[in-house]
């Protein structure tokens, strides 16, 4: 472990330092300006209680485990703020040397000086939702279909809001509701709601959610 010690103090706009010199003799200098060194009495400065003692140490840690990075994958089928773990990460292993800085005997900072990665970590993979909920329609779809906008169970009703084909086509839909996006289904549902003056086309779920019919 390598150790270096020095003492610093501001003196009327200048900086003073007390450092160990070659052969163990204490030397003292005053930094009077950029790159200027002026000799000063070392004994006087070491008696000053205002000096800050700074000590640096190098610490070697073999076979240290370190955290795996996190890879986020956007998922538009999940609401914003929701996350789902896809794969657990595994930590890596490294030999690492830290630089430790102590001020007056207390650890002030710590940084990686060098490292040798022995085993790479396996990234953790997480799905992150990006869908912005459309209020009442998502609540209604959760009630009607469990929130599955592409459901087709063969019961004659399709999509997140369980349209019948007759109603879907009557309000401008094409093909099957379950073949279209959430946004398209909501657009057709909005036309139906506005034309009927409420959510009566979904009587059971409207009553359950307290929606006007």
């Amino acid at each position: 472990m390598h150790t270096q010690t020095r003492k610093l103090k501001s003196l009327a706009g200048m900086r003073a330092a007390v450092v160990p010199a070659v052969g163990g003799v204490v030397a003292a200098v005053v930094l009077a300006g950029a790159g200027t060194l002026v000799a000063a009495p070392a004994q006087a400065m070491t008696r000053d209680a205002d000096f800050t003692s700074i000590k640096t140490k190098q610490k070697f840690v073999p076979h240290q485990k370190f955290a795996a990075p996190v890879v986020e994958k956007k998922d538009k089928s999940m609401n914003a703020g929701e996350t789902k773990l896809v794969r657990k990460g595994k930590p890596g292993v490294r030999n690492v040397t830290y630089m430790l800085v102590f001020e007056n005997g207390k650890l002030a900072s710590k940084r990686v000086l060098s490292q040798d990665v022995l085993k790479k970590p396996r990234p953790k993979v997480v799905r992150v939702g990006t869908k912005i909920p459309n209020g009442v329609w998502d609540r209604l779809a959760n009630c009607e279909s469990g929130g599955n906008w592409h459901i087709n169970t063969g019961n004659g009703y399709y999509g997140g809001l369980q349209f019948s084909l007759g109603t879907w086509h009557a309000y401008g839909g094409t093909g099957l509701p379950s073949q279209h996006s959430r946004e398209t289904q909501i657009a057709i549902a909005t036309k139906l709601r506005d034309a009927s003056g409420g959510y009566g086309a979904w009587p059971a779920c409207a009553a359950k959610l307290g929606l006007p019919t």
Side-chain angles (χ1 to χ4, degrees), residues 47-75:
R47 289 195 299 268
D48 196 318
D50 290 336
F51 275 96
T52 298
S53 173
I54 297 178
K55 180 183 292 185
T56 60
K57 292 183 180 180
Q58 292 183 18
K59 182 179 180 181
F60 176 71
V61 181
H63 296 90
Q64 181 192 58
K65 290 184 177 181
F66 63 101
V70 178
V71 176
E72 294 186 348
K73 293 189 175 182
K74 295 181 179 180
D75 191 332

Side-chain angles (χ1 to χ4, degrees), residues 137 140-151 158-163 177-178 185 202:
W137 294 117
L140 198 54
N142 284 334
C143 177
E144 290 283 344
S145 64
N148 186 346
W149 292 90
H150 302 288
I151 193 171
Y158 308 86
L161 297 170
Q162 292 291 276
F163 286 99
S178 54
Q185 293 180 53
W202 304 274

Side-chain angles (χ1 to χ4, degrees), residues 14-177:
M14 300 183 294
R15 300 193 70 191
V18 178
V19 298
V22 178
V25 179
V26 174
V29 294
V30 175
L31 283 67
T36 303
L37 299 180
V38 181
Q43 294 81 1
M45 285 191 282
T46 56
R47 289 195 299 268
D48 196 318
D50 290 336
F51 275 96
T52 298
S53 173
I54 297 178
K55 180 183 292 185
T56 60
K57 292 183 180 180
Q58 292 183 18
K59 182 179 180 181
F60 176 71
V61 181
H63 296 90
Q64 181 192 58
K65 290 184 177 181
F66 63 101
V70 178
V71 176
E72 294 186 348
K73 293 189 175 182
K74 295 181 179 180
D75 191 332
K76 63 181 181 181
S77 69
M78 297 167 56
N79 289 334
E82 292 181 346
T83 60
K84 182 179 180 180
L85 178 65
V86 177
R87 186 183 72 185
K88 292 182 178 180
K90 288 185 177 180
V93 180
R94 66 184 179 182
N95 292 335
V96 59
T97 300
Y98 291 100
M99 175 63 77
L100 309 178
V101 179
F102 295 86
E103 293 185 2
N104 292 333
K106 295 183 179 180
L107 181 64
S109 65
K110 175 182 177 181
R111 66 181 178 88
V112 174
L113 192 62
S114 64
Q115 65 175 341
D116 178 21
V117 177
L118 306 177
K119 181 180 178 181
K120 292 183 179 180
R122 187 178 76 171
K124 176 181 177 182
V125 180
V126 178
R127 291 195 180 277
V128 179
T130 60
K131 182 177 70 174
I132 305 300
N134 197 333
V136 66
W137 294 117
D138 281 310
R139 292 167 55 207
L140 198 54
N142 284 334
C143 177
E144 290 283 344
S145 64
N148 186 346
W149 292 90
H150 302 288
I151 193 171
N152 179 359
T153 61
N155 65 351
Y157 295 91
Y158 308 86
L161 297 170
Q162 292 291 276
F163 286 99
S164 68
L165 282 182
T167 300
W168 176 257
H169 292 150
Y171 287 90
T174 60
L176 297 177

